[in-house]
Amino acid sequence: MEKIKMNIGQAADLFKIMGDRTRLSMIAMMNRRECCVCDFTECFQMSQPAVSQHLKKLRTLGLINERKEGYWTYLSLNEDSPFYEMIPELIAVIPDIDAHISSLITSCSREDCC
Amino acid sequence: MEKIKMNIGQAADLFKIMGDRTRLSMIAMMNRRECCVCDFTECFQMSQPAVSQHLKKLRTLGLINERKEGYWTYLSLNEDSPFYEMIPELIAVIPDIDAHISSLITSCSREDCC
DNA sequence: CTGCTACATAAATGAATACTTATATGGTTG
DNA sequence: CAACCATATAAGTATTCATTTATGTAGCAG
């Protein structure tokens, strides 16, 4: 974990990234387990390029790691990010978040991926 | 405190509102004490209409209360908002937030207002 | 090699955002 | 009443954003 001193502007950047329903759900899902891009397109019923653009923003902030395996790219929260420790705490503040994410995951789980 | 069930979209709306340096600072300041508009224009070195537009967004989400007294309008966090309980918890996650807000307040405190 | 799969990138578009300048409003002071 | 103060609103502008369609790329299967 990098020892970067955070200022309010950087904190606001994190909130801004999390201020979108799709990205907030992505982050909450990755906070549980590794995901691949097709998980997101499935769960959010969203086009693959749209998901990819959101991932690009997460990457730009340094929030995620990628691990390639076979066809798939597995995404997870980057432990070296200065935001890494904040994320689970922010997620935990959201009421009923576990139930929401669970239903998101189970409602679209696919046997052939992840 | 209203008993509204929160979904991820509403949570994202809150993060989005907090995803701006100015508004995040406003919220963190009001989390400590009542503020008036002129406090914000002073602290952020920002035009009065710009501050007013940000306040409008906070009002639209129902985050703030207003109390008029003489020339000034005093603003505070609205205890009846479904987000009210989340705010101090979200603020608390930001590293060194207390020091940042303290220096913001002391650096521009004015004798003639608030 | 050929075709397929998972994903990224590019370009275009419409909507939202943050700010500015100018003007309005409503309470206060004299 | 008139002048003034704190604040809101309006209108304009430049930037950012979320999404789409189209295309590119790298790895795998046959």
Side-chain angles (χ1 to χ4, degrees):
Chain A
M1 148 81 179
E2 294 174 20
K3 273 300 168 196
I4 292 180
K5 243 200 158 184
M6 184 155 328
N7 59 39
I8 297 183
Q10 292 169 285
D13 289 341
L14 178 58
F15 280 104
K16 187 176 189 177
I17 282 284
M18 297 176 79
D20 174 274
R21 185 199 173 90
T22 300
R23 287 191 301 265
L24 182 56
S25 302
M26 286 175 166
I27 291 171
M29 285 171 67
M30 287 185 286
N31 188 48
R32 275 210 190 164
R33 62 158 168 90
E34 265 189 337
C35 304
C36 69
V37 180
C38 51
D39 284 329
F40 295 139
T41 58
E42 258 268 323
C43 289
F44 309 139
Q45 310 246 69
M46 179 174 272
S47 75
Q48 174 265 315
V51 166
S52 203
Q53 307 270 16
H54 284 299
L55 288 173
K56 190 172 189 178
K57 299 201 170 195
L58 300 181
R59 242 177 258 121
T60 299
L61 245 201
L63 293 186
I64 55 177
N65 273 327
E66 312 193 14
R67 179 177 68 82
K68 298 232 177 185
E69 187 179 315
Y71 281 135
W72 297 282
T73 303
Y74 291 86
L75 304 156
S76 57
L77 295 176
N78 174 17
E79 300 182 11
D80 293 328
S81 159
F83 298 114
Y84 180 72
E85 293 178 359
M86 298 173 65
I87 289 176
E89 300 177 26
L90 293 176
I91 296 286
V93 172
I94 303 171
D96 303 318
I97 184 70
D98 283 336
H100 282 295
I101 296 305
S102 290
S103 77
L104 249 183
I105 291 176
T106 60
S107 74
C108 345
S109 68
R110 316 186 303 151
E111 271 62 9
D112 59 332
C113 182
C114 301
Chain B
M1 148 78 179
E2 294 174 20
K3 274 300 167 195
I4 293 180
K5 244 200 156 183
M6 184 155 327
N7 60 39
I8 297 183
Q10 291 170 285
D13 289 341
L14 178 58
F15 280 106
K16 187 177 189 177
I17 282 284
M18 297 176 79
D20 173 275
R21 185 201 173 90
T22 300
R23 286 191 301 265
L24 182 56
S25 301
M26 286 175 166
I27 291 171
M29 285 170 67
M30 288 186 287
N31 189 47
R32 275 207 190 167
R33 61 157 169 90
E34 265 189 337
C35 305
C36 69
V37 181
C38 53
D39 283 330
F40 295 139
T41 58
E42 258 267 323
C43 288
F44 308 140
Q45 311 247 68
M46 179 173 274
S47 76
Q48 174 266 315
V51 167
S52 201
Q53 308 268 19
H54 284 300
L55 287 173
K56 190 173 189 176
K57 300 202 169 194
L58 300 182
R59 242 178 258 121
T60 299
L61 244 201
L63 293 186
I64 56 177
N65 274 326
E66 311 193 14
R67 178 177 69 83
K68 297 230 176 186
E69 189 179 315
Y71 280 136
W72 298 282
T73 303
Y74 290 85
L75 304 156
S76 57
L77 294 177
N78 175 18
E79 301 183 13
D80 293 328
S81 160
F83 298 114
Y84 181 72
E85 293 178 359
M86 298 173 65
I87 291 175
E89 299 176 27
L90 293 175
I91 296 287
V93 173
I94 305 170
D96 303 318
I97 185 71
D98 284 336
H100 282 295
I101 297 303
S102 291
S103 76
L104 248 184
I105 291 177
T106 60
S107 73
C108 348
S109 65
R110 317 187 301 152
E111 271 64 9
D112 60 333
C113 182
C114 304

